Amino acid sequence: MPNFCAAPNCTRKSTQSDLAFFRFPRDPRRCSLWVENCRREDLEDKTPDQLNKHYRLCAKHFEPSMICKTSPYRTVLKDNAVPTVFDLTSHLNNPHSRHRKRIKVLSEEELRKMTERIENCGEQEQLKNDNTQNEAQFEEIEEDLPPITPQEKEIKDYLKSLFDILVLMGKQNIPLDGHGEEWVEESRAFTPSNFQSLLESRITAGDEVLRRRFEMTAVNVEYCPVTQQRQMLEVCESCLREELLREVRESRFFSLVTDEAVDISGEDHLPIFLRFVDESNNLREEFAGFLPCEEDEDAVFVSLHTEITEKWGLNLEYCRGQSHVNSGDYALKLKAVASKLMEKYPLAVCTPCSTCALNIWLAKALPLAGVQMVLGTLKIIDSFFSKSPQLLSELENAIATIHQANEERANELKEICRTQWIERHDAFEVAVDLLEPLLLCVDSVNSNANFSRHVAFEAYSISVNLEEFEFIATLVVLKNALSFTRAFGKNLQGNTLDVFFAASSLTAVLHSLNEVMENIEVYHEFWFEEATNLAAKLEIPVKLPRLYLRQHRPEPGFELLPESYYKESLSIPLVSRVIQELKEIFSETHLKALKCLSLVPSVMGQMKFNTSEESNADLYRNDLPNPDTLPAELHCWRIKWKHRGKDVDLPSTIYQTLQLSEVKFFPNVYSFLRVLCTLPVIKVESSKYDCGRKRLRAYLSDTPANHRSKSLALLNINYEVRHDLDLMVDTYSKMYPEKVDEQ
């Protein structure tokens, strides 16, 4: 459908012009300036959302200095762009043209005030956003190209065929390489690369463009060099990501989430997800790409900031949340990165992630070697038993044997083992109950000739870790110390009402942990006794860690008791760091945001409509369209739901509230909820929009590290995202013109 220019006396449309067309901005202040300058009476009563969705202005109405190209194929406006070039007189010679775009007649005084106001606003915006890209929504309009020659058309069709193959390989998770011909040059048993094989198959299937291209080529020549394949893959990745980023820019506000570092072709990379609310008011968490891991935390910050702002074109001023799910050294680095981001962008509040249980998140953040050993071992155990039903059956048999006196608990543990139990809120409690069956099972697998040597060796390795007293002591301390945060964390991943009340219960959780810290001698005595009893049951000796004994030679006549060692090196630092992490992650800004969930009608009802959001609403005051009317609007919002009809149910989630047609009559509440929804701690309600992390794990599980590719991974994980082969060809032609000339 063509786009028509909304300016008076302008008849341009996108199908007849090579000009770019731009949407009206959603920002109320800028949108008002656009409408005033247009002088269209019929646009004055429309909301910014309506104008953004239905009306455009062509580039002829902006000064050239206001327009810039962020890439060879995209034209955008600067943040402070205001249309100033209009024809407001030619309609006088043609009165009939006034009926469709009626021009408002202004007095000289009105004209003078409007001019001064726009000039002052333009100067302020210029000082503030001189070097930033436009985040206002825009319409991508491809430039009309002159007629192409038959040779150019053939090259374009040829490139489209190549891109089509690459997109297929990405979405179907087919690696580029074959069976290792790059490493074993002398072997003739290895097949060509997967890309070349698919290309040959397409020629055989009747692709005339490819056939004509290669029918005269020597049989030992590779059709498309590896370098060109990688360049084209980068273009595929860029174009697909841009489709996703366009939606993020249109939603304006977003949050940033990183996951555990992964191995991509021998190098560690951080997966990056973006959370935003789309135009249908669906909260989405989408995979956006990988970031190479740097050794230094400052380098990680610079790399992340550069990637998001310069390469992806997002404005971090609109980032309203961040969450980093990592363990070990990366957890410490990203904690420093999060602090730097919050220093520069105070509203990018750091929160836990809704997809990770709070207790697991806290354990990953603890810089204690024993804790990281436990987490790593549990991850290995989960991976080991998920390999085959036979191994899982062996574990279930071991559970039945150990817990034969308690059949109900045995059945419960069997059911738990069929799930991702290491991600549960009570994962450490489950691990303690499973410890004896796990040891029995892996010992049985190790001695069972029906399993391969590789499986037997893995079982033996797990057995070695489980038989360390350090593992048992750390697991028991984790279970007991984090029992105080279990219910709190479960509420954070519950419904909206649970999350709201969780924000108020943090004080009680911290009080309990501080009491533990003050009486750590007593608590540690009970915890250590539990660990020694469990070790005795498993016939495991109570001793100091081997690494500690190797690094510290005891002085003659001095013996360090295990109980004292584990108190000083485990219990005290663990409880202390958990308290510190809770205080840092649940900052005042974060708690204020969670308390604003009282805007959801079901929470209002639970509070007997006696809520006061005004004190916390200042947090996002600058994000609201009409902040001055917020108190009156909130009062009307409460009255609306308090005096609702008897047959009207109270919406219980932000999503349900945003889907109400009448919410648009409360623009501040509507905007507030959309911003609040992006916080990483808020659960994504629809599984359709929360599958990026699952698809990433599936890709990593199905693809060996040496076959992984950042570009192919993005295509595979976002296989539902629309792709445009023509755009890919045009982008490639502009980025690598010398390659096209060589074709």
Side-chain angles (χ1 to χ4, degrees), residues 373 464-465 467-470 543-553 565-566:
M373 178 193 66
V464 169
N465 286 339
E467 290 175 347
E468 288 287 339
F469 181 74
E470 181 185 12
K543 59 182 181 179
L544 298 174
R546 286 177 295 175
L547 181 60
Y548 176 82
L549 292 174
R550 284 198 294 265
Q551 293 177 345
H552 301 82
R553 298 294 179 182
Y565 169 81
Y566 286 108

Side-chain angles (χ1 to χ4, degrees), residues 564-710:
S564 300
Y565 169 81
Y566 286 108
K567 183 186 73 174
E568 297 298 331
S569 64
L570 179 61
S571 296
I572 292 177
L574 191 149
V575 175
S576 175
R577 288 304 295 259
V578 167
I579 294 173
Q580 181 183 342
E581 289 294 332
L582 286 173
K583 288 180 178 179
E584 290 178 356
I585 200 67
F586 291 99
S587 61
E588 182 181 354
T589 304
H590 183 190
L591 292 175
K592 273 189 173 183
L594 292 181
K595 289 175 182 177
C596 290
L597 288 172
S598 59
L599 287 170
V600 177
S602 66
V603 180
M604 282 186 177
Q606 189 69 24
M607 302 294 291
K608 307 300 182 184
F609 300 96
N610 187 25
T611 59
S612 178
E613 296 83 7
E614 289 87 343
S615 58
N616 300 315
D618 284 343
L619 182 64
Y620 300 124
R621 183 177 181 83
N622 293 332
D623 299 336
L624 305 180
N626 303 298
D628 293 337
T629 64
L630 179 62
E633 188 176 312
L634 290 175
H635 176 72
C636 294
W637 180 251
R638 284 190 289 269
I639 295 299
K640 168 185 167 54
W641 295 108
K642 185 176 182 179
H643 299 290
R644 70 191 186 282
K646 294 183 179 180
D647 57 339
V648 177
D649 293 329
L650 292 174
S652 60
T653 66
I654 296 179
Y655 173 76
Q656 292 177 4
T657 308
L658 289 174
Q659 297 303 314
L660 299 172
S661 58
E662 59 264 39
V663 77
K664 293 294 182 72
F665 295 107
F666 300 86
N668 287 316
V669 172
Y670 176 71
S671 299
F672 208 117
L673 289 175
R674 282 178 62 92
V675 174
L676 195 62
C677 201
T678 63
L679 290 178
V681 73
I682 302 297
K683 183 171 65 176
V684 180
E685 295 182 34
S686 173
S687 58
K688 178 181 178 181
Y689 301 117
D690 190 28
C691 54
R693 201 178 302 268
K694 297 176 183 176
R695 291 178 181 174
L696 171 64
R697 291 178 181 176
Y699 173 82
L700 297 173
S701 175
D702 296 342
T703 313
N706 61 324
H707 278 169
R708 292 172 187 167
S709 160
K710 294 190 299 179

Side-chain angles (χ1 to χ4, degrees), residues 227-269:
T227 302
Q228 185 180 359
Q229 292 176 30
R230 301 196 188 286
Q231 291 171 343
M232 296 180 76
L233 261 182
E234 289 175 0
V235 172
C236 289
E237 177 186 0
S238 174
C239 291
L240 196 74
R241 182 187 293 115
E242 185 54 41
E243 186 69 22
L244 172 64
L245 294 177
R246 180 182 61 80
E247 293 188 82
V248 178
R249 294 190 195 99
E250 287 182 354
S251 72
R252 193 179 180 194
F253 300 105
F254 64 94
S255 286
L256 182 68
V257 181
T258 64
D259 207 352
E260 290 275 8
V262 299
D263 183 1
I264 303 289
S265 299
E267 296 182 356
D268 285 345
H269 289 75

Side-chain angles (χ1 to χ4, degrees), residues 476-494:
V476 169
V477 172
L478 276 171
K479 182 202 80 167
N480 288 288
L482 295 180
S483 65
F484 296 96
T485 59
R486 188 187 309 148
F488 174 69
K490 196 170 183 179
N491 286 337
L492 277 179
Q493 288 188 314

Side-chain angles (χ1 to χ4, degrees), residues 405-461:
N406 189 347
E407 187 176 348
E408 183 179 352
R409 181 56 177 165
N411 291 333
E412 184 181 351
L413 287 174
K414 289 179 184 179
E415 191 65 32
I416 289 174
C417 288
R418 300 186 189 107
T419 66
Q420 296 288 325
W421 63 273
I422 66 169
E423 298 178 2
R424 292 167 56 104
H425 296 280
D426 59 349
F428 303 116
E429 182 178 344
V430 171
V432 169
D433 290 344
L434 281 175
L435 192 56
E436 190 174 0
L438 279 170
L439 266 173
L440 177 63
C441 177
V442 292
D443 287 343
S444 174
V445 170
N446 186 29
S447 59
N448 193 332
N450 293 328
F451 292 101
S452 67
R453 285 184 297 174
H454 176 69
V455 171
F457 178 76
E458 285 189 90
Y460 172 75
S461 300

